[in-house]
Amino acid sequence: QVQLVESGGGLVQAGGSLRLSCAASARTLSTFATMGWFRQAPGKEREFVASIRWSGGNTYYIDSVKGRFTISRDNARNTVYLQMNSLKPEDTAVYYCAAAPNTTWDYWGQGTQVTVSS
């Protein structure tokens, strides 16, 4: 079984920064076509945040996080990161790491809580 484990969440004041990590077991992440981050705020549906193609490193972000969030990967550590700067209260959510072997998101982590205070 493929297991994705997120870490790095916590409580931060508005304007602060956090870096989330996603580590994998049982499979090398480079075998996935795409890695991504999603988030789910209280009372809302899960939404896509950012993604990165493992080969080539092409990235994509939703408009609300462009210029503030950066997704990256480290082949040697088999890890994907989400650097979050200039955090806003609206960023408060449980953040999930996901992996797509081809065209669908087939593997998910259990999430890490990010809370941004005013």
Side-chain angles (χ1 to χ4, degrees):
Q1 294 181 335
V2 175
Q3 183 176 3
L4 304 178
V5 180
E6 304 95 337
S7 62
L11 175 63
V12 66
Q13 191 173 12
S17 300
L18 287 172
R19 188 180 73 167
L20 306 183
S21 299
C22 174
S25 63
R27 183 168 177 173
T28 302
L29 293 183
S30 61
T31 64
F32 293 111
T34 310
M35 298 295 298
W37 288 95
F38 292 73
R39 66 186 180 186
Q40 186 168 21
K44 298 183 179 180
E45 295 183 352
R46 182 172 57 190
E47 68 171 346
F48 168 82
V49 177
S51 66
I52 183 170
R53 295 291 187 91
W54 200 269
S55 179
N58 305 74
T59 59
Y60 182 81
Y61 305 88
I62 57 174
D63 289 342
S64 62
V65 306
K66 287 182 178 178
R68 300 190 299 119
F69 290 11
T70 302
I71 186 171
S72 62
R73 78 267 196 264
D74 187 325
N75 293 347
R77 294 183 179 274
N78 202 36
T79 302
V80 175
Y81 304 95
L82 184 67
Q83 178 67 46
M84 305 185 294
N85 299 325
S86 302
L87 284 164
K88 305 174 181 179
E90 65 188 75
D91 296 318
T92 295
V94 176
Y95 283 71
Y96 298 90
C97 178
N102 190 261
T103 60
T104 58
W105 301 104
D106 294 337
Y107 302 97
W108 298 83
Q110 291 189 290
T112 184
Q113 177 70 48
V114 172
T115 303
V116 184
S117 64
S118 300

